[in-house]
Amino acid sequence: MSIPPDVLLGEPLAADPTPDPPSGASGGASRAGALWFYARKLLAAVVSFFITLVIGFVLFQLMPADPVRALTQGRPTSAAQMQALRDSLGLDKPLWQRFASFVGDTLHGRLGFSWQFQEPVASLVGSHLWPTVLLMGVSTVISVSLGLWLGIRSGWRQGSVFDRISSGVSLTLWSVPTFWLGLLLLVAFSVGFGPIPSLFPADGMSDPSIAAAGWPHVVDVARHLVLPVATLVLGDYALYVSIMRSSLIDEMDSPYLLTARAKGLFDSDVRRKHAVPNALLPAVTVIFLQIGGIIGGAVTVETVYSWPGLGYLTYQALKVPDLPLLQGTFIIFSASVIIMNLAADVLYRFLDPRVRAQ
Amino acid sequence: MTAPTRGRTRAEEPAGEAAAPPRYAALRRFARGYLRRPSGIVGLVMLLAFAVAALVAPSFIHPHDLDVTRASGALMAPPTGAYPLGTDENGRSVLFLVIWGARASLFIGVVATLMTVFIGGTIGLVAGHYQGRVGALLMHVTDWFIVLPSLPLAIALSVVLGQGASSIIIAIAITSWTGTARLVRAQTLAVGARPFIERGRALGASDPQIMVRHVLPSVLPLILVSSILTIGSAILAEATLTFLGLGDPTTVSWGSMLNSAFAQGAVTVGAWWYLLTPGIAILLVVMGFTLTGRAIEHVLDPRMVDRA
């Protein structure tokens, strides 16, 4: 389902029929304003990350009963050895010192040592990062495009048969857990069910018998990608439909659309060049704000398909439970959400001349 | 028809006794509006069916039916007369499991929602009422929590708190109160601008009095709608967390059924009855809550009809 790019990004700046155009702010003032804007957003992101660290510290350093006991579980350990371990972990130091060294370590990329893999958490996270970026990137691009396209069609003809069917399908898909859709797709298209043969591989990211280089590898990874991506798209696209649909409905009664129609423009031009660019602005922000909720899908879907990403790593960590590893993935997930939100703020300012003028 | 009746009651009767009849009239009007929405009725029927099944389950399901050591059916067998929805990996009836699972799933969903709404409602009400530093601080806290990725945080919380229903409830509440808080704050701000609040203040009502006696009743319908919709997402969150193995391993819930189906190879065997049943139960209940919540929303606020 290809979407003409101009429907999605129909010259938002040129065609923007802003009701009250920005008053001509002088160049110097607006540049200082932009700097101030970015500085404020950056500061907010830094504060958010600091709060994440506080929560991570409380969750993983303060609340667990005794890390030393967890570490030495099932092994004969003398009291002296336990004390030595406690000293090496710095558990007897005052709270603020522990927090300061925790923050310092995290900022230097020292995320601790995984109990089950016996490997630094940072290197584990590093090797599992790209599979997740690939999976979430591909599925988000597809579900956002699909969602915006369906949302524009539904919102423009609100209450039409198309809108009703689309809403019904969205409601149904919203009402089931995404991982369950994954299990069903796994049975139907990977294991093969009834007359359906096994169409796609679904164990991990690549077939170990195929050399990890060149064109065959790319095809192999793409084939492994199909089912997890399909699951995530089915689970998430409905959200984008509803965001875009209500954003477009908000614009429907605007006087500028009446003007556009009065000029004699075709209905499709009114929609594409006038309504959609304005409706996209709030939709983009809301979509970026949803990333924090969507990233959770990586955990369950990667688990179902044994996709070697951060989500599957989280699952392996919670099984043990491997607290340093869990803490590492929690911090990485939070940091990526904070970065996406910052990107949304910057993008919004870039897209909307009214925000720039303020 | 109803509006003039209400007006007459108010005008004719003394203020002290007038309180009851308009309230009943409003309730009747609400019920009539609700019954005009077929989707709302469908949702309510779905919910009632599951609620009744969950409540009367102990009368026809005996503990030994769910005891893995006493189960007598074939292992992971497709549906037959004695086992209409097949059996699980221990030879237990999937039909009995899914009915019994409704108890845990609904209970956790409802309790987690009560906690979510209590936290979110309190923070939203206070943030909306005290608009100075307190309100700003609370909204900052809310914004920080909105940014946090909810599932990784919920996983971290339930791992640290230990396995069990209570840690799942706490994890769901802590990761989902922000929506309610923002909604309640917005409504509190809207109500706070209305004259009867100023009147209360002029009569010397204290802040807590104004919040509880005047603002809260106006915010309650919104809280009701939001909590019915929240139960659906709480049930989904419960299913997700127990699917990952974070629940109480001895309790049967829809998520734990899917967890054992996945772990015991129902996927490779193609045991569709075992995989489909819990998922369809989740689908029906979550959809039931969504349809009911939306219908109530539409009846309470007809302006929303065009939007949802």
Side-chain angles (χ1 to χ4, degrees):
Chain A
M1 210 171 290
S2 77
I3 296 120
D6 58 334
V7 171
L8 295 182
L9 300 166
E11 319 148 60
L13 302 183
D16 187 89
T18 313
D20 45 348
S23 58
S26 70
S30 83
R31 208 168 303 135
L35 273 180
W36 173 234
F37 175 85
Y38 291 127
R40 233 177 37 222
K41 292 295 173 190
L42 197 63
L43 185 71
V46 170
V47 171
S48 288
F49 187 65
F50 184 76
I51 303 283
T52 307
L53 289 181
V54 172
I55 292 174
F57 181 72
V58 171
L59 273 178
F60 295 102
Q61 311 283 324
L62 296 188
M63 284 176 71
D66 186 356
V68 172
R69 197 160 296 162
L71 268 175
T72 57
Q73 209 168 25
R75 285 175 234 167
T77 325
S78 72
Q81 279 173 312
M82 283 177 94
Q83 190 55 46
L85 198 53
R86 208 162 273 149
D87 285 343
S88 76
L89 290 173
L91 292 178
D92 292 337
K93 285 187 192 150
L95 205 58
W96 68 268
Q97 275 189 13
R98 282 176 65 190
F99 182 65
S101 65
F102 168 76
V103 171
D105 282 349
T106 309
L107 292 182
H108 285 92
R110 291 190 294 266
L111 296 172
F113 200 76
S114 160
W115 297 345
Q116 68 173 316
F117 292 99
Q118 293 295 312
E119 212 182 306
V121 170
S123 76
L124 281 168
V125 165
S127 62
H128 288 75
L129 180 64
W130 293 112
T132 297
V133 170
L134 178 69
L135 177 63
M136 295 313 284
V138 172
S139 65
T140 306
V141 167
I142 295 178
S143 42
V144 168
S145 319
L146 183 67
L148 292 184
W149 183 69
L150 290 174
I152 290 167
R153 277 206 65 176
S154 302
W156 193 250
R157 293 263 176 274
Q158 195 193 342
S160 64
V161 177
F162 181 88
D163 183 29
R164 280 159 188 271
I165 292 175
S166 165
S167 299
V169 173
S170 298
L171 174 65
T172 311
L173 288 173
W174 187 84
S175 303
V176 298
T178 307
F179 68 85
W180 183 67
L181 294 173
L183 290 173
L184 297 189
L185 291 183
L186 192 60
V187 172
F189 297 110
S190 179
V191 176
F193 185 77
I196 311 170
S198 171
L199 292 174
F200 296 103
D203 194 24
M205 189 171 154
S206 55
D207 189 339
S209 64
I210 296 172
W215 188 243
H217 179 63
V218 174
V219 173
D220 184 39
V221 171
R223 274 167 54 82
H224 279 83
L225 205 59
V226 172
L227 290 181
V229 164
T231 307
L232 284 167
V233 169
L234 285 178
D236 292 338
Y237 89 91
L239 184 69
Y240 306 123
V241 176
S242 71
I243 293 170
M244 188 63 213
R245 180 177 177 273
S246 59
S247 184
L248 189 61
I249 290 174
D250 277 345
E251 296 290 328
M252 287 305 272
D253 296 329
S254 309
Y256 70 83
L257 288 183
L258 191 66
T259 312
R261 287 206 181 87
K263 283 196 298 191
L265 292 183
F266 287 119
D267 187 58
S268 63
D269 280 343
V270 177
R271 185 188 71 214
R272 202 161 51 90
K273 294 201 175 143
H274 294 265
V276 168
N278 275 327
L280 264 181
L281 292 172
V284 165
T285 328
V286 183
I287 284 171
F288 269 90
L289 284 177
Q290 300 298 327
I291 304 263
I294 283 157
I295 219 155
V299 180
T300 53
V301 173
E302 286 183 7
T303 301
V304 167
Y305 291 101
S306 315
W307 186 262
L310 290 173
Y312 190 46
L313 196 63
T314 307
Y315 175 71
Q316 287 170 309
L318 75 87
K319 281 268 138 191
V320 175
D322 184 343
L323 291 184
L325 186 53
L326 212 49
Q327 172 188 301
T329 54
F330 172 72
I331 289 175
I332 293 297
F333 276 131
S334 309
S336 59
V337 173
I338 291 170
I339 292 170
M340 293 313 277
N341 282 324
L342 190 62
D345 284 329
V346 173
L347 191 67
Y348 192 73
R349 188 182 165 80
F350 177 74
L351 288 178
D352 192 345
R354 281 167 296 186
V355 178
R356 253 177 299 161
Q358 273 162 18
Chain B
M1 258 336 267
T2 43
T5 320
R6 187 180 168 200
R8 200 177 339 118
T9 329
R10 266 208 186 145
E12 285 173 1
E13 282 177 0
E17 291 160 33
R23 196 167 291 167
Y24 288 128
L27 205 62
R28 218 174 305 129
R29 204 165 49 241
F30 172 79
R32 213 171 293 149
Y34 189 91
L35 291 177
R36 268 202 293 270
R37 299 194 60 82
S39 65
I41 298 172
V42 170
L44 201 59
V45 167
M46 281 173 5
L47 289 186
L48 282 178
F50 273 96
V52 169
L55 285 176
V56 303
S59 67
F60 62 95
I61 299 176
H62 298 288
H64 62 78
D65 288 329
L66 301 171
D67 187 345
V68 287
T69 59
R70 292 215 216 152
S72 52
L75 307 187
M76 237 189 253
T80 53
Y83 298 97
L85 291 175
T87 60
D88 74 344
E89 76 279 4
N90 295 308
R92 296 181 289 179
S93 165
V94 170
L95 178 65
F96 280 0
L97 285 174
V98 88
I99 293 174
W100 199 262
R103 296 167 67 83
S105 296
L106 286 174
F107 175 76
I108 292 182
V110 170
V111 175
T113 300
L114 289 178
M115 215 166 137
T116 303
V117 170
F118 179 74
I119 301 175
T122 311
I123 290 183
L125 201 60
V126 173
H129 188 78
Y130 297 100
Q131 286 165 36
R133 281 207 192 127
V134 180
L137 180 73
L138 285 176
M139 278 343 274
H140 274 302
V141 172
T142 312
D143 287 342
W144 291 327
F145 267 89
I146 285 178
V147 168
L148 289 174
S150 46
L151 187 60
L153 179 61
I155 288 173
L157 272 169
S158 33
V159 166
V160 169
L161 294 172
Q163 280 189 325
S166 51
S167 55
I168 286 206
I169 289 171
I170 294 173
I172 294 174
I174 289 188
T175 50
S176 48
W177 59 269
T178 47
T180 313
R182 298 198 118 189
L183 208 67
V184 170
R185 175 178 174 267
Q187 184 72 6
T188 306
L189 287 177
V191 172
R194 282 164 55 184
F196 72 92
I197 300 292
E198 200 183 343
R199 169 186 165 274
R201 219 182 279 280
L203 289 174
S206 65
D207 279 319
Q209 228 169 348
I210 289 179
M211 271 197 281
V212 175
R213 289 280 181 80
H214 299 287
V215 180
L216 190 60
S218 318
V219 181
L220 266 183
L222 191 78
I223 293 185
L224 175 76
V225 170
S226 130
S227 29
I228 290 175
L229 294 174
T230 306
I231 298 177
S233 19
I235 288 176
L236 286 175
E238 188 270 346
T240 305
L241 291 174
T242 45
F243 170 71
L244 293 171
L246 289 166
D248 177 357
T250 58
T251 316
V252 177
S253 79
W254 295 330
S256 76
M257 285 177 75
L258 287 169
N259 170 285
S260 31
F262 179 59
Q264 304 298 329
V267 171
T268 25
V269 182
W272 53 269
W273 59 92
Y274 195 10
L275 288 168
L276 274 182
T277 314
I280 290 176
I282 295 172
L283 166 68
L284 292 178
V285 164
V286 174
M287 205 184 235
F289 278 113
T290 309
L291 292 177
T292 309
R294 282 194 189 168
I296 295 178
E297 189 175 35
H298 288 170
V299 177
L300 291 179
D301 185 0
R303 278 169 303 167
M304 288 295 295
V305 173
D306 301 335
R307 298 292 319 281

